[in-house]
Amino acid sequence: MSPFIAELVGTMLMILLGDGVVANVVLKDTKGSNSGWMVITTAWGLAVFVGVTVAGPYSGAHLNPAITIGLAIAGKFAWAQVVPYIIAQFLGAFMGAFLVWIMYYDHFKRTNDPGSILAVFCTGPAVRNYISNISSEIIGAFVLIFTVFYITGAEITPTKTPIGLGSVGALPVALLVWVIGLSLGGTTGYAINPARDLGPRIIHALLPMKNKGGSDWAYSWIPIMGPLIGVTIAALLYLQLHG
């Protein structure tokens, strides 16, 4: 389990479970059909928990190119490792999205709405206004990485002896993603992760689904540029506050 493999597997599991819950909610004749936003945001938070639990001990569990770049800007991650991490994250996203299609194959066939099919794979705006949409992604990603900078391990005071939390150490990030989804996700679906959005969007374009429409490439730059801008602002602010 190298850092590369950890990022790939962790991202794959996160996308499988995250896109999987969207499939369960929006596709036709599933057990969870129309169960709503609370189900989606809760499962996405838990999907992050699973990915971080698996990848955390080996790679730090970035699972997100924006986090990798934000940590590098803040001096907390080596720039030489940025490209390999991002490649692993995109490969994991491809694999996770493909597995969701396999998992829900019969329900994709029964679903006639192209918008619902696309929503399984990638995000889209509730109201299409590119200025507002990219602002939403900037703010969401800012909250994500800025809070990550302040997540610390447990310790015994006053000796400052670290406490090994094991898998429970993944819980703060899961709660963070959950609250971002509940509070800030209503505008764009809170991609806050270029690999999470672009990887499955590419898979959507490639898969042979008879009822699918276009992959909305006109919007696809928003979930890429928004998070990258957001984490850059957060990292620069963090450096300013702690310089």
Side-chain angles (χ1 to χ4, degrees):
M1 182 70 95
S2 66
F4 183 91
I5 296 298
E7 285 294 301
L8 187 154
V9 173
T11 305
M12 179 192 72
L13 290 171
M14 180 182 72
I15 297 299
L16 170 61
L17 298 175
D19 283 1
V21 70
V22 181
N24 192 22
V25 171
V26 306
L27 296 183
K28 187 176 181 181
D29 296 335
T30 68
K31 297 289 188 179
S33 181
N34 297 315
S35 51
W37 189 244
M38 178 62 78
V39 171
I40 289 175
T41 56
T42 302
W44 258 109
L46 295 174
V48 171
F49 177 84
V50 171
V52 172
T53 296
V54 172
Y58 306 96
S59 69
H62 298 184
L63 315 183
N64 181 342
I67 285 192
T68 299
I69 291 171
L71 290 173
I73 292 172
K76 295 178 175 289
F77 187 69
W79 279 104
Q81 294 299 312
V82 167
V83 171
Y85 265 54
I86 291 176
I87 292 173
Q89 292 154 5
F90 270 96
L91 290 175
F94 293 148
M95 294 169 64
F98 181 77
L99 289 174
V100 171
W101 177 63
I102 295 295
M103 183 77 192
Y104 283 94
Y105 180 78
D106 290 334
H107 299 278
F108 278 112
K109 288 173 62 178
R110 291 180 175 219
T111 302
N112 296 319
D113 178 26
S116 296
I117 292 174
L118 179 62
V120 172
F121 295 92
C122 54
T123 61
V127 176
R128 189 172 295 262
N129 179 331
Y130 289 157
I131 295 176
S132 297
N133 300 153
I134 197 168
S135 297
S136 295
E137 288 294 333
I138 289 170
I139 293 168
F142 174 91
V143 173
L144 174 67
I145 189 65
F146 194 72
T147 306
V148 164
F149 287 143
Y150 288 92
I151 293 176
T152 60
E155 62 185 17
I156 301 173
T157 57
T159 61
K160 304 296 184 182
T161 303
I163 301 173
L165 293 177
S167 297
V168 180
L171 187 58
V173 180
L175 293 175
L176 172 59
V177 171
W178 189 21
V179 74
I180 290 173
L182 288 174
S183 301
L184 306 177
T187 55
T188 61
Y190 72 118
I192 59 176
N193 181 340
R196 171 265 175 276
D197 193 274
L198 181 59
R201 194 183 297 269
I202 293 172
I203 293 297
H204 171 270
L206 296 176
L207 286 174
M209 295 181 286
K210 66 177 182 179
N211 295 322
K212 74 174 182 178
S215 300
D216 196 8
W217 294 110
Y219 179 81
S220 64
W221 64 278
I222 297 286
I224 298 172
M225 294 306 302
L228 293 179
I229 294 170
V231 299
T232 299
I233 295 171
L236 293 176
L237 177 60
Y238 178 81
L239 290 172
Q240 182 67 29
L241 293 174
H242 293 269

